[in-house]
Amino acid sequence: MKIFAVGLNYAQHNKELDGTLNKPEEPVIFTKPDSAVLNQHKPFFIPDDLGQIDYEAEVVVRICKLGKNIPQRFAHRYYDAVSLGIDFTARELQRRLRSEGKPWEMCKGFDGSAAIGDWVELDKFRDVQAIHFHLDVNGKTVQDSCTSEMLYKVDELIAYISKYITLKTGDWLFTGTPSGVGPVHIDDHLEGYLEDRKVLEFNCK
């Protein structure tokens, strides 16, 4: 099982992170190890040695068949369900790694950094690029967006990644986060929604 993730895929998040609305010249792809998985309802234990840890709510798609060099027009055949996930990020470490031109794995792939909610079959939604989603922290909405705002759409991402890496059944794709990211603290309660369906809920410890 592989976990792919996309950086800088919502313009307003790019602005809050880098001060620019620019679209990257190509998708910014990174991976997380399977040890990063935090399954539904299990608490997230905030690392005490990585500095500020930020939540990043993202729609996640589940790959359902083997694929390599997938044409974009056929990409929709390769995923069958969506969920909401949290791409936890060690923000201070990320800034340092980026400034030094180093990979992101250490700030993105630490244990528990890929929280995932309940899967919802794709046919429950009208269009994968028209799913509204939001994240609440302690009952307050902190991120609220729609997959229509993605700079690179799901099918584009599937086609792009599969040029380099074979996709397999059970792989996940975190599709990027909108604006509103922020730090988590001990005793925070996180709830994530796809449309009006709560799919994610857990506490920080």
Side-chain angles (χ1 to χ4, degrees), residues 3-201:
I3 304 171
F4 298 96
V6 186
L8 306 176
N9 204 30
Y10 284 78
Q12 291 298 327
H13 172 59
N14 298 355
K15 184 176 181 181
E16 72 179 358
L17 197 63
D18 291 332
T20 177
L21 294 172
N22 291 344
K23 179 179 180 178
E25 293 184 4
E26 57 186 6
V28 177
I29 306 297
F30 59 95
T31 60
K32 290 173 176 271
D34 57 9
S35 55
V37 174
L38 180 70
N39 287 315
Q40 173 71 305
H41 302 308
K42 291 186 177 179
F44 172 64
F45 289 93
I46 301 173
D48 58 9
D49 57 352
L50 292 180
Q52 178 177 316
I53 305 296
D54 283 1
Y55 57 78
E56 296 187 6
E58 311 194 8
V59 171
V60 186
V61 299
R62 184 178 67 193
I63 303 301
C64 64
K65 61 190 295 189
L66 183 74
K68 173 69 174 175
N69 290 318
I70 302 167
Q72 185 175 325
R73 67 184 183 278
F74 296 137
H76 66 279
R77 302 177 181 177
Y78 288 81
Y79 53 96
D80 64 351
V82 297
S83 186
L84 194 75
I86 305 294
D87 168 23
F88 282 112
T89 303
R91 188 67 69 198
E92 295 161 346
L93 178 58
Q94 184 189 40
R95 293 191 185 105
R96 180 172 66 79
L97 292 172
R98 291 182 69 193
S99 70
E100 296 172 356
K102 294 179 179 178
W104 293 9
E105 272 75 9
M106 294 301 100
C107 69
K108 289 284 194 177
F110 55 89
D111 290 354
S113 63
I116 191 71
D118 297 327
W119 294 104
V120 182
E121 297 301 313
L122 199 60
D123 60 12
K124 301 296 184 184
F125 302 96
R126 176 177 59 85
D127 184 346
V128 73
Q129 296 301 161
I131 300 174
H132 287 85
F133 62 99
H134 71 273
L135 175 70
D136 292 356
V137 177
N138 302 325
K140 178 182 178 181
T141 298
V142 293
Q143 289 187 278
D144 188 356
S145 191
C146 180
T147 54
S148 62
E149 299 298 318
M150 288 181 186
L151 298 176
Y152 287 99
K153 308 305 183 186
V154 172
D155 290 356
E156 292 178 271
L157 296 169
I158 296 288
Y160 178 81
I161 293 170
S162 70
K163 289 193 301 182
Y164 302 94
I165 303 173
T166 298
L167 298 178
K168 294 184 177 182
T169 301
D171 289 348
W172 299 351
L173 172 59
F174 281 68
T175 57
T177 195
S179 61
V181 304
V184 288
H185 306 92
I186 292 174
D187 294 331
D188 278 350
H189 183 66
L190 277 63
E191 299 170 286
Y193 294 79
L194 297 177
E195 302 293 350
D196 58 356
R197 185 193 303 258
K198 184 192 291 189
V199 296
L200 179 71
E201 183 174 13

